[in-house]
């Protein structure tokens, strides 16, 4: 026993060194993560500024098709931009097929997808778009207005998705327990938020019980791994409708409202 007691003073410095090393590793990892996030945000702001300037200057104001053509022209010379005719045409096809009246967009970027969807909505249709970055939200909203749409047709919420989702019922004037809800959701924000936000939308009863298409924009297969695992584990109300290179469509429908085709 006395040997153990005598060895304690010798062991303490070693334990402190190990603990200090582990602490430094964790701090370094956190710093790297914070730096990566800051760089992504900075690159995103630069992208939004330059895209907005080009589209605003070169397009014909009041013409949504001209705005989209100018976006595509910019994308031809800026391949890192996450917009372009390939993804846009797939989005158009989904909107035309679903024919939604209430649409939610999480992550508006430069306003490209907002304009594409708004031009295909019915006269009484409404788009709610949620954007975390204030500058991106401001410039994206301006592009939507430049395309000829009115504030009565859309609303931009400058907020995180986690904060915005619980408030959407009031913006959309939905009555819980009815057959109302979102017909289409476009997720083009942080892929790590895809599954938590889908669960929140379901928990808040914001998805239309008779059917809601959820479009996931992704750059890597890993971006959708978590949410697809959840979808496939719940075949009673979810199914994977299509999987494209940059977009996956999943379909939600409450079991009690399913109709045999």
């Amino acid at each position: 026993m006395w040997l153990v007691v005598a060895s304690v003073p010798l062991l303490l410095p070693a334990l402190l060194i190990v603990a200090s090393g582990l602490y430094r590793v964790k701090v370094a990892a956190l710093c790297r993560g914070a730096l990566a996030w800051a760089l992504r945000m900075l690159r995103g702001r630069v992208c939004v500024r330059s895209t907005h300037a080009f589209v605003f200057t070169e397009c014909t104001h009041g013409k949504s098709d001209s705005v989209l053509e100018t976006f595509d022209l910019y994308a031809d010379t800026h391949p890192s931009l996450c917009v372009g005719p390939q993804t846009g045409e797939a989005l158009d096809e989904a909107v035309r097929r679903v024919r939604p009246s209430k649409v939610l967009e999480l992550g508006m970027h430069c306003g490209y997808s907002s304009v594409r969807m708004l031009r295909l909505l019915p006269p009484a249709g409404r788009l709610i778009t949620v954007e975390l970055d204030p500058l991106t939200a401001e410039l994206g909203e301006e592009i939507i207005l430049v395309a000829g749409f009115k504030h009565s047709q859309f609303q931009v919420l400058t907020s995180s998705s986690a904060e915005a989702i619980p408030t959407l019922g009031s913006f959309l004037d939905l009555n819980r327990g009815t057959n109302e809800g979102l017909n289409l959701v476009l997720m083009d924000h942080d892929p790590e938020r895809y599954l938590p936000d889908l669960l929140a939308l379901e928990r808040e009863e914001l998805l239309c019980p008779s059917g809601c298409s959820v479009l996931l924009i992704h750059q890597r297969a890993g971006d959708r791994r978590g949410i697809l695992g959840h979808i496939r584990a719940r075949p009673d109300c979810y199914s994977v409708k299509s999987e494209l290179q940059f977009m996956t469509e999943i379909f939600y429908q409450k079991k009690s409202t399913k109709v045999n085709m």
Side-chain angles (χ1 to χ4, degrees):
M1 179 63 70
W2 69 268
L3 288 174
V4 174
V5 174
S7 64
V8 168
L10 299 176
L11 290 173
L12 281 176
L15 292 173
L16 288 173
I17 291 173
V18 172
S20 177
L22 292 174
Y23 176 77
R24 285 197 297 268
V25 169
K26 290 183 178 180
V27 170
L30 289 173
C31 290
R32 285 195 298 271
L35 178 59
W37 177 86
L39 288 173
R40 285 197 301 271
M41 183 66 73
L42 178 61
R43 285 195 294 267
R45 283 192 162 215
V46 171
C47 170
V48 169
R49 285 183 185 277
S50 59
T51 306
H52 172 273
F54 184 87
V55 174
F56 188 89
T57 303
E58 300 297 329
C59 76
T60 300
H61 287 209
K63 302 290 185 181
S64 60
D65 287 341
S66 174
V67 169
L68 294 177
E69 289 170 1
T70 309
F71 266 117
D72 292 341
L73 179 62
Y74 185 81
D76 286 341
T77 56
H78 298 75
S80 62
L81 186 64
C82 297
V83 297
Q86 184 178 10
T87 303
E89 288 168 7
L91 178 59
D92 286 355
E93 190 278 328
V95 176
R96 289 192 177 100
R97 173 168 37 79
V98 175
R99 293 184 294 178
S101 59
K102 295 181 176 68
V103 180
L104 172 65
E105 178 185 30
L106 299 178
M108 74 180 304
H109 298 296
C110 307
Y112 177 78
S113 298
S114 308
V115 173
R116 291 206 81 109
M117 292 188 291
L118 275 166
R119 82 193 206 287
L120 297 176
L121 296 186
R126 185 165 174 77
L127 169 72
I128 303 292
T129 180
V130 178
E131 173 55 50
L132 176 62
D133 180 55
L135 175 65
T136 301
E138 178 185 350
L139 296 182
E141 182 173 6
E142 187 171 29
I143 288 295
I144 296 174
L145 293 170
V146 164
F149 299 105
K150 309 298 183 184
H151 277 118
S152 59
Q153 298 170 279
F154 74 95
Q155 185 159 3
V156 177
L157 302 180
T158 306
S159 166
S160 69
S161 55
E163 294 172 331
I165 288 173
T167 71
L168 294 180
S170 60
F171 287 107
L172 294 168
D173 194 24
L174 300 179
N175 296 316
R176 289 194 176 192
T178 67
N179 202 36
E180 297 179 344
L182 295 164
N183 313 111
L184 183 69
V185 177
L186 175 64
M187 293 191 177
D188 194 11
H189 56 322
D190 181 0
E192 293 186 0
R193 293 296 314 168
Y194 285 4
L195 179 54
D197 288 344
L198 179 65
L199 294 175
L201 290 168
E202 187 177 354
R203 183 170 60 252
E204 297 291 333
E205 299 182 12
L206 293 170
L207 304 178
C208 182
S210 60
C212 177
S213 287
V214 181
L215 308 177
L216 311 174
I217 304 298
H218 46 81
Q219 300 299 312
R220 301 169 300 175
D223 290 344
R224 55 190 178 140
R225 185 175 297 117
I227 193 169
L228 289 184
H230 173 76
I231 297 310
R232 288 168 176 146
R234 297 187 59 192
D236 58 313
C237 57
Y238 285 109
S239 61
V240 178
K241 193 170 186 66
S242 66
E243 295 185 72
L244 304 177
Q245 184 178 3
F246 297 114
M247 188 177 82
T248 297
E249 180 179 357
I250 61 179
F251 185 70
Y252 167 85
Q253 188 178 48
K254 273 194 173 181
K255 188 176 183 180
S256 60
T257 63
K258 286 190 175 181
V259 179
N260 294 325
M261 301 299 290

